[in-house]
């Protein structure tokens, strides 16, 4: 990996990050490398971020990089279809989700421009660090084309792909001679987050009976608003098996059968990027993302697959290792990981 | 002390495990009558959701039977099935449902003995574990 280099796109340092992200967006649109860009723009105030699909180079100034994450932009990009040619300027979890979708044939990743904003954690409307962000170990996105680290009047950029490097050259940014390492701080945060997971997942050491009581108690609060399903960037089926007419989860029953949650888990846990949107959307305050990340962590231990960190390795349930053909045990361990 | 007998739903692949169960009958091996067999074209057809649904409808245990690695009639269905089974185990584990209630076995068409043994052992194990208590009214 190359070391990030600092750039600016304006004089005076008034714009956040020196307007580098905006300049990259403008270049993408002006060079017609894409049809449009998914990014957040400011609404009423700094905390009110709204998703936008920007197609006019004149509109790029409205792109906001404030540390809020009210939606997953990758989720919104679903509707754009597999022939999409778009740019995505978002947080690493969103970029990873987009990568996972690419692997599941929702997008053609080779046509996308994914620009990740190095993330120190995002906040909810009250200004509190979001629950998922406290446990996030991926403050940069290794699958992005460009990793950007926004600072005061300057932005450090790490080009991870050829496509990204070309875009960076086209943008004609002013290189700055700054030797800070923006990665060091993020790596520190990642280590802290990893340490916090021990607390967050301490419930896994409880006896199973107790765990089941807590789990079923949490899910008994569910009134099946489908919020968690609708905001999940990984969840993309047009004809959802959880709909009442599919015969799995009966309609008009509240709380729904636990099958609702178990099915979601079985469908998404292998690709879950811990974006935490499901938990934020939940009006019943079920710690969905925590359960998802707990399962995801365990799957990582078995299959050695980390969602969204590369664009090559297929999700663990859609492939298997050659060695497994010779392996007669039914319980897989790390030795047969992908 | 519950006198209720465990109920096992077995998803058996058409080409190996179902034929294995058939052979167990032809060879007159006795095994507990606690197993309800559902024939599926391939163990790869068994979605995690089927397993969860069986448990929530009141099955005490779920058995998934597939061909041995490399023997799948369709090439690789059983390999995917095994991966899914490992996912199911983790989901159940985190939810506090004993993952031992779900079992995946490679049973070939010639292994009537193995099928009888697996069902006997599984029934015994579920009897010791007691009823699952997972049954929900509407699912």
């Amino acid at each position: 990996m190359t070391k990030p280099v600092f750039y600016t796109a304006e004089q005076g340092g008034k714009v956040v990050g020196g307007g580098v992200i905006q300049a990259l967006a403008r270049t993408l649109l002006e060079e017609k490398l894409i049809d449009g860009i998914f990014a957040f723009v400011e609404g009423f105030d700094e905390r009110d971020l709204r998703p936008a699909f920007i197609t006019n180079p004149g509109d790029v100034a409205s792109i906001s990089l404030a540390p809020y994450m009210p939606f997953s932009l990758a989720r919104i990009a679903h509707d754009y279809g597999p022939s999409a040619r778009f740019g995505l300027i978002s947080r690493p979890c969103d970029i990873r989700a987009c990568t996972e979708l690419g692997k599941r044939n929702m997008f053609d990743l080779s046509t996308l421009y994914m620009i990740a904003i190095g993330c120190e954690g995002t906040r909810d409307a009250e200004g509190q660090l979001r629950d998922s962000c406290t446990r996030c170990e991926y403050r940069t996105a290794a699958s992005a084309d460009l990793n950007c680290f926004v600072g005061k009047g300057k932005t450090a950029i790490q080009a991870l792909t050829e496509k990204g490097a070309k875009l960076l050259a086209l943008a004609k940014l002013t290189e700055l001679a700054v030797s800070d390492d923006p990665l060091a701080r993020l790596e520190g945060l990642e280590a802290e987050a990893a340490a916090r997971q021990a607390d967050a997942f301490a419930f896994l050491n409880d006896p199973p009976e107790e765990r089941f009581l807590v789990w079923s108690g949490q899910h008994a609060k569910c009134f099946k608003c489908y919020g968690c399903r609708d905001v999940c960037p990984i969840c993309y089926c047009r004809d959802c098996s959880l709909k009442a007419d599919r015969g799995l989860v009966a309609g008009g029953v509240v709380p729904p059968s636990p099958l609702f949650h178990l099915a979601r888990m079985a469908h998404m846990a292998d690709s879950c990027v811990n974006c935490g949107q499901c938990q934020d959307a939940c009006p019943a305050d079920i710690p969905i993302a925590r359960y998802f990340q707990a399962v995801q962590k365990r799957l990582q231990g078995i299959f050695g697959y980390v969602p969204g960190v590369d664009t090559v390795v297929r999700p663990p349930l859609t492939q298997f290792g050659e060695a497994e053909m010779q392996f007669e045990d039914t319980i897989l361990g790390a030795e047969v990981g992908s | 002390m519950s006198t209720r007998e465990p109920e096992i739903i077995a998803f058996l692949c058409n080409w190996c495990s179902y034929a294995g169960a058939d052979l167990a009958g032809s060879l007159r091996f006795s095994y507990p009558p606690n197993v309800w067999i559902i024939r599926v074209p391939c163990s790869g057809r068994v979605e995690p959701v089927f397993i969860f649904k069986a448990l929530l409808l009141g099955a005490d245990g779920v058995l998934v039977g597939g061909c041995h690695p490399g023997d799948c009639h369709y090439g690789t269905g059983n390999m995917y099935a095994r991966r899914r089974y490992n996912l199911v185990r983790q989901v159940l584990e985190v939810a506090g449902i004993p993952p031992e209630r779900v079992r995946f076995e490679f049973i070939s068409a010639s292994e009537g003995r193995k099928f009888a043994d697996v069902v006997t052992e599984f029934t015994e194990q579920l009897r010791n574990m007691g009823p699952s208590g997972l049954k929900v009214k509407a699912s």
Side-chain angles (χ1 to χ4, degrees):
Chain A
M1 244 192 236
T2 52
K3 203 173 166 293
V5 181
F6 279 92
Y7 294 93
T8 184
E10 46 116 44
Q11 301 297 315
K14 282 184 206 118
V15 185
V16 178
V20 165
I21 303 292
Q22 286 81 354
L24 289 171
R26 191 179 303 114
T27 311
L28 278 172
L29 290 169
E30 278 173 357
E31 301 287 334
K32 302 218 185 314
L33 296 169
I34 46 162
D35 301 331
I37 295 171
F38 285 102
F40 286 114
V41 297
E42 202 170 300
F44 290 123
D45 60 11
E46 193 214 47
R47 291 174 302 174
D48 179 32
L49 292 191
R50 295 168 181 186
F53 186 59
I54 301 170
T55 51
N56 180 357
D59 294 341
V60 296
S62 59
I63 293 176
S64 170
L65 305 173
Y68 300 95
M69 187 76 192
F71 308 99
S72 159
L73 293 172
R75 168 68 191 85
I76 289 162
H78 283 188
D79 302 331
Y80 204 61
S83 60
R85 256 178 14 121
F86 60 83
L88 178 64
I89 299 175
S90 193
R91 301 277 154 182
C93 50
D94 218 0
I95 303 292
R96 290 170 57 222
C98 187
T99 311
E100 281 300 304
L101 287 167
K103 291 183 188 182
R104 288 161 180 255
N105 302 329
M106 275 296 280
F107 305 131
D108 179 359
L109 289 177
S110 65
T111 64
L112 305 189
Y113 283 82
M114 297 191 286
I115 300 174
I117 312 293
C119 187
E120 297 189 6
T122 53
R123 294 175 185 280
D124 60 19
E126 279 88 47
Q128 294 291 317
L129 202 58
R130 291 167 65 237
D131 189 41
S132 288
C133 296
T134 63
R135 304 189 304 271
C136 175
E137 305 154 276
Y138 302 97
R139 307 281 175 164
T140 61
S143 58
D145 293 298
L146 294 175
N147 258 330
C148 300
F149 308 92
V150 179
K152 269 208 182 97
K154 60 186 191 291
T155 296
I157 301 182
Q158 192 180 29
L160 297 177
T161 62
E162 226 170 87
K163 200 165 46 163
K166 261 184 210 155
L167 169 64
L168 191 54
L170 282 170
K172 298 199 182 62
L173 300 164
T174 317
E175 198 171 321
L176 300 175
V178 184
S179 59
D180 306 358
D181 185 6
L183 282 168
R185 185 174 152 65
L186 294 179
E187 275 161 12
L189 287 172
E190 285 173 0
E192 273 174 42
R196 269 194 220 107
Q197 286 180 4
D199 280 343
F201 301 142
F203 73 93
L204 291 172
N205 301 323
D206 295 341
E209 302 80 28
E210 214 170 286
R211 222 154 60 217
F212 178 66
L213 279 181
V214 176
W215 183 85
S216 42
Q218 288 289 0
H219 290 92
K221 297 191 288 186
C222 175
F223 51 87
K224 205 181 170 191
C225 69
Y226 287 99
C228 49
R229 179 199 70 170
D230 291 344
V231 296
C232 179
I234 306 297
C235 179
Y236 62 79
C237 300
R238 288 285 149 93
D239 193 9
C240 178
S241 61
L242 299 178
K243 288 199 300 197
D245 61 0
R246 291 290 297 270
L248 273 177
V249 182
V253 181
V254 170
S257 154
L259 187 63
F260 185 88
H261 304 283
L262 291 170
R264 283 195 68 247
M265 195 73 97
H267 287 174
M268 264 78 73
D270 60 324
S271 280
C272 177
V273 294
N274 186 36
C275 66
Q277 295 299 331
C278 46
Q279 195 166 319
D280 288 357
C282 185
D285 284 335
I286 304 171
I288 313 172
R290 192 173 291 213
Y291 281 115
F292 261 89
Q293 204 191 5
V295 173
Q296 164 55 224
K297 280 272 146 201
R298 288 165 154 256
L299 293 178
Q300 270 183 36
I302 296 173
F303 301 120
Y305 177 81
V306 184
V309 295
D310 64 78
T311 53
V312 190
V313 186
R314 307 223 7 106
L317 296 188
T318 63
Q319 57 124 337
F320 61 90
E322 265 321 300
E324 276 174 61
M325 278 291 209
Q326 320 302 330
F327 192 69
E328 280 279 340
D329 206 337
T330 54
I331 295 172
L332 298 173
E335 68 275 15
V336 283
S338 56
Chain B
M1 187 65 203
S2 162
T3 53
R4 187 175 165 274
E5 276 287 296
E7 294 175 359
I8 302 170
I9 296 295
F11 294 100
L12 301 183
C13 112
N14 179 38
W15 305 96
C16 294
S17 306
Y18 189 84
D22 198 23
L23 186 69
S26 308
L27 294 177
R28 302 182 179 225
F29 294 138
S30 68
Y31 59 86
N34 303 42
V35 61
W36 277 256
I37 294 173
I38 296 174
R39 179 158 68 158
V40 288
C42 174
S43 53
R45 176 67 187 91
V46 183
E47 292 175 31
V49 170
F50 294 1
I51 297 172
F52 297 138
K53 176 119 185 172
L55 289 172
L56 293 170
L57 284 177
D60 298 291
V62 177
L63 172 68
V64 182
C67 309
H68 283 271
D71 292 349
C72 177
H73 184 76
Y74 307 100
T76 52
N78 53 351
M79 310 308 290
Y80 295 112
R82 175 165 61 184
R83 286 205 159 208
R84 278 183 217 143
Y85 163 67
N86 280 269
L87 169 111
V88 167
R89 280 177 61 85
Q90 299 312 320
V91 173
L92 293 179
E93 180 87 51
V94 168
I97 303 167
E100 297 81 35
R101 290 199 181 274
V102 181
R103 210 159 151 162
F104 182 80
E105 291 289 342
F106 295 123
I107 301 167
S108 81
S110 63
E111 291 176 328
R113 179 82 264 169
K114 183 173 178 185
F115 177 79
D117 289 349
V118 163
V119 172
T120 312
E121 196 192 310
F122 197 21
T123 308
E124 192 50 42
Q125 179 201 326
L126 291 171
R127 209 173 269 142
N128 292 336
M129 288 172 82
S132 80
L134 286 172
K135 189 169 180 172
V136 286
K137 271 185 218 115
S139 56

